[in-house]
Amino acid sequence: MAVPETLAPPAADAGTTSPVAPSARPGARAWFVLGMLCFVYVLNFLDRQLLSILAKPIQDDLKVTDGQLGLISGLYFALFYCFISIPVAWLADRTNRVRVLSIACALWSAATVACGMASTYPQLVLARMTVGVGEAGGVPPSYAIISDYFGPGRRGTALGLYNFGPPLGQALGVAFGAAIAAAYNWRSAFQLLGAVGVVTALAVYLLVREPRRGGLDAGPVATVPAGRVTPSAKAGFWETVRMFFTRPALLLVALATGATQFVTYALLNFTTLFLMREKGMALGEVAICYALLIGIGVSAGMYVSGRLIDRFAARARHSYALVPAVALCAAVPFFVGFVWAPSWPLALLFLAGPTFFNYFYLSPAVALVQEEVRPDQRVLSGALLLLVMNLIGLGFGPTYLGAVSDLFRATHPHHSLQLAFYTLVPFYGLAVLLFLALARVLRKEGPRTGARTGDR
């Protein structure tokens, strides 16, 4: 398959200034790579969300509780996903990021196939943990690859488009997963969609080229062709970790996104079960109506937030924080309406609000971190962002909601999830407060640009 070449900059010697202007228009190859990485991200999230989408038939088959579902989709998965992502990111910062990504994609896809072969809860736990191990090598290398194909001023939009992966993965997971499960069984959905990922991993390895690190950044860079980093450009592991957790802006953006994901992952992992068990929705209706809502609503939120950041952040750096803060405030009344609604059509109508506004945080957060650090620290810094926000959000959000639902089940057996969902409202408030604190820090620090910020 022939792929058009991009307007690639010539190699820069260590310590020289990049000859490419930050505003250089991305070439055809850059857009092709973005499309490939976005598709991998779609599969990443599709495989990750199959468990929540097929929660009802899995519960019926394996006899697991809401609390057990929360653990397997939350804490058990997150422990492997979050902590293994750190050494994988450190390796990717020093080696070929595309190879790391392709190997990771093959691993999590094979583990997804294994989920469909599980006959007991412990076997399903083991397979899901392996999915987490593979997915740990998916997103951080992709963030850094995209940042080396798209220069400052265009990264917000590029990362916003890349972040279509989660909503598209959720939508396709709902559509195909529910449809396959309705036509055959839940095991077939895992096996078929996992096999698609194995083929995609091979395509990434053969078709995506490793870009030069920092080739599109203004200021000094230290890179050589084919993604090899010069000795002076290799940031130390602990140096990067210390830099990330001692910079107020980076720490606050990680905590704010973690609080946001506490809500979004809790909602995401139990919405299908809630709609089916307490709102009377059928699996076939989930495959069409909920899939369309997820695909359109979250994608629109990702894209709009990315465009807003590219438009306002250059003039007002605290926009990285104010955009998600305002969006989360707007989401709350719609969320309460969704939980209250007596029927699933009305519930879906209200759910459109949180589906759109809940995801305004991701593109600004990723763009801020990628702009704030040196090119040779981007993969590990992206992994540290994911470590904090996924450990808090993915690890404890679904785990918390499942446990609270089990707690209410004894006294309110028909509405336990509804009551559990109401308890998420205070976490919206916590996320807003953290984003406002981040806005204050960014306003106090004043304007900065990528390479110069990372070199401090």
Side-chain angles (χ1 to χ4, degrees), residues 83-432:
F83 287 105
I84 292 178
S85 67
I86 301 303
V88 170
W90 179 80
L91 177 67
D93 264 333
R94 289 168 138 66
T95 59
N96 189 295
R97 296 165 291 185
V98 172
R99 291 178 188 171
V100 171
L101 175 62
S102 62
I103 292 171
C105 181
L107 178 59
W108 85 60
S109 300
T112 299
V113 174
C115 287
M117 302 171 66
S119 58
T120 64
Y121 180 71
Q123 289 176 358
L124 187 60
V125 169
L126 181 61
R128 288 294 294 174
M129 287 180 172
T130 308
V131 172
V133 171
E135 291 189 4
V139 180
S142 298
Y143 285 160
I145 292 169
I146 291 168
S147 294
D148 283 333
Y149 271 104
F150 293 84
R154 299 182 184 271
R155 284 180 187 145
T157 298
L159 290 167
L161 291 171
Y162 172 71
N163 285 326
F164 277 12
L168 292 176
Q170 294 168 37
L172 293 176
V174 172
F176 288 109
I180 294 170
Y184 300 99
N185 55 63
W186 66 269
R187 299 180 185 278
S188 298
F190 278 96
Q191 293 165 355
L192 179 60
L193 296 173
V196 172
V198 174
V199 176
T200 302
L202 179 62
V204 170
Y205 182 83
L206 295 175
L207 299 176
V208 176
R209 293 184 181 178
E210 174 78 1
R212 287 194 303 265
R213 299 172 199 255
L216 297 178
D217 288 283
V221 296
T223 56
V224 294
R228 297 189 302 274
V229 186
T230 64
S232 62
K234 291 183 179 179
F237 177 84
W238 292 113
E239 172 196 349
T240 302
V241 172
R242 184 166 52 253
M243 175 276 300
F244 188 93
F245 287 107
T246 57
R247 291 267 294 280
L250 296 179
L251 180 59
L252 275 172
V253 74
L255 292 175
T257 54
T260 307
Q261 283 201 342
F262 190 96
V263 175
T264 60
Y265 269 115
L267 180 61
L268 183 63
N269 278 276
F270 281 95
T271 292
T272 303
L273 183 60
F274 180 55
L275 290 171
M276 293 181 66
R277 196 171 74 191
E278 299 190 18
K279 302 295 184 184
M281 202 171 187
L283 196 58
E285 293 165 337
V286 168
I288 299 173
C289 301
Y290 182 48
L292 287 173
L293 176 65
I294 287 291
I296 297 172
V298 182
S299 297
M302 296 282 193
Y303 180 74
V304 170
S305 62
R307 291 302 299 266
L308 288 174
I309 287 304
D310 276 347
R311 180 173 182 179
F312 295 115
R315 298 193 300 270
R317 189 161 162 260
H318 56 280
S319 299
Y320 284 112
L322 287 183
V323 167
V326 172
L328 288 172
C329 289
V332 173
F334 292 100
F335 173 77
V336 173
F338 158 70
V339 180
W340 162 84
S343 64
W344 70 259
L346 184 58
L348 284 185
L349 184 62
F350 276 115
L351 185 59
T355 301
F356 177 70
F357 289 117
N358 276 1
Y359 294 89
F360 269 51
Y361 74 95
L362 188 55
S363 296
V366 173
L368 176 62
V369 171
Q370 295 296 302
E371 292 281 354
E372 285 284 296
V373 303
R374 298 199 311 259
D376 56 300
Q377 295 177 315
R378 281 182 176 145
V379 181
L380 183 53
S381 296
L384 291 169
L385 172 68
L386 292 176
L387 169 67
V388 176
M389 70 182 190
N390 283 326
L391 187 60
I392 296 172
L394 177 58
F396 294 106
T399 304
Y400 164 83
L401 195 67
V404 173
S405 179
D406 279 353
L407 183 65
F408 285 127
R409 196 76 182 266
T411 55
H412 299 80
H414 302 297
H415 301 287
S416 62
L417 269 175
Q418 182 184 46
L419 295 175
F421 272 128
Y422 278 128
T423 67
L424 292 177
V425 173
F427 293 98
Y428 270 107
L430 177 61
V432 170

